[in-house]
Amino acid sequence: MEMPKVVPQIVQTIEETEEEEPIEIIKEKEYIVPEQVFSQVPVQQPAPVVKKVRKKRTMTPEMLEKLAVARAKANEKRKANKEARLKGEMKTPTQVKQEQIEIQEEKKRPVVNNVTNEYKTINNNITPEDIQKIALETSAKATAEALYQYEEIRKARKQEKKEKKEQEAKLIERQNTIKKSIIGGYSGDFKKPRKSIYG
């Protein structure tokens, strides 16, 4: 078999197209050290923060007079309070704090019917034997009452259960009599129940 003539033409065209394309020369990239890159970038300085200048408050002569009067008044009050404390007419700051603490404790106490209950220590002549005796008596009474109540509840449940059983037995008995009347009871020699009244 001979090769067709078309194939050499295609091979020629492929060779021609390959020859026509110019071959590009690939250049290698230059390696740049990162330190050099960052050293070339100019570092920007942050803009300086300018604070607003506040105007100084100037005191007028009237304000100065009022201030002087207020200072004098405060000094007089302090002296009067000091003298009162020395005489015992006025409470010291520690006494005032103590009173505030007592008021807070008073608020913490329980309130029943708008009456604040006070905590008082009770002194009595009850001995530990008396306490044990009272505890035994009260616990014995409590257990006896609990047992009695439980027994009453148990008896009531038992009675209800008995009545329920009786009612169920009566119901079953009625159902059986109805069945016998419908079926017709037992027939003759074979002691077999009939299928119906007519049969």
Side-chain angles (χ1 to χ4, degrees):
M1 291 186 116
E2 290 185 22
M3 286 184 72
K5 294 181 180 180
V6 177
V7 174
Q9 290 176 355
I10 294 172
V11 172
Q12 281 181 348
T13 55
I14 291 172
E15 290 175 359
E16 289 174 1
T17 55
E18 287 178 359
E19 292 174 4
E20 291 176 3
E21 292 178 5
I23 299 172
E24 295 181 13
I25 300 171
I26 300 171
K27 294 181 181 178
E28 289 187 25
K29 289 185 178 179
E30 294 180 21
Y31 178 74
I32 301 172
V33 181
E35 296 166 357
Q36 292 176 354
V37 173
F38 293 116
S39 65
Q40 293 173 359
V41 175
V43 179
Q44 295 179 351
Q45 295 287 333
V49 179
V50 179
K51 292 183 180 179
K52 292 181 180 178
V53 179
R54 283 190 171 183
K55 293 181 181 177
K56 285 190 177 181
R57 194 171 182 184
T58 55
M59 299 285 277
T60 61
E62 293 173 3
M63 291 173 135
L64 290 171
E65 287 175 15
K66 286 181 183 177
L67 186 62
V69 169
R71 282 183 183 156
K73 208 175 192 182
N75 285 336
E76 288 175 16
K77 184 77 173 177
R78 282 192 205 109
K79 285 179 185 176
N81 287 347
K82 189 175 183 181
E83 289 174 6
R85 273 193 220 106
L86 290 174
K87 291 179 183 176
E89 296 171 1
M90 189 175 180
K91 296 176 184 172
T92 61
T94 53
Q95 290 173 341
V96 172
K97 284 183 183 177
Q98 189 66 30
E99 280 185 2
Q100 289 176 350
I101 291 170
E102 288 175 6
I103 290 169
Q104 288 177 352
E105 287 178 5
E106 187 74 26
K107 288 179 182 176
K108 290 179 184 176
R109 289 185 183 150
V111 178
V112 179
N113 296 333
N114 296 330
V115 177
T116 305
N117 296 330
E118 295 181 8
Y119 297 115
K120 293 182 179 178
T121 55
I122 300 170
N123 296 327
N124 51 23
N125 298 327
I126 298 174
T127 61
E129 292 88 27
D130 294 337
I131 293 170
Q132 283 183 344
K133 187 177 177 183
I134 293 168
L136 287 173
E137 288 175 4
T138 54
S139 66
K141 285 180 184 177
T143 53
E145 286 178 15
L147 287 172
Y148 179 74
Q149 288 175 356
Y150 177 74
E151 193 66 26
E152 289 294 319
I153 293 168
R154 192 180 68 77
K155 284 180 181 178
R157 275 199 233 127
K158 198 173 185 181
Q159 186 67 26
E160 287 176 14
K161 192 175 179 182
K162 189 176 180 181
E163 289 174 3
K164 197 174 182 182
K165 267 191 175 181
E166 288 175 3
Q167 288 177 356
E168 287 177 1
K170 285 180 182 178
L171 183 67
I172 290 169
E173 190 178 332
R174 285 186 202 138
Q175 288 174 347
N176 287 340
T177 54
I178 292 170
K179 280 182 186 177
K180 283 180 186 178
S181 65
I182 291 173
I183 295 172
Y186 291 101
S187 65
D189 301 332
F190 301 105
K191 303 282 181 176
K192 285 186 176 178
R194 288 190 216 160
K195 292 185 179 174
S196 68
I197 303 170
Y198 309 106

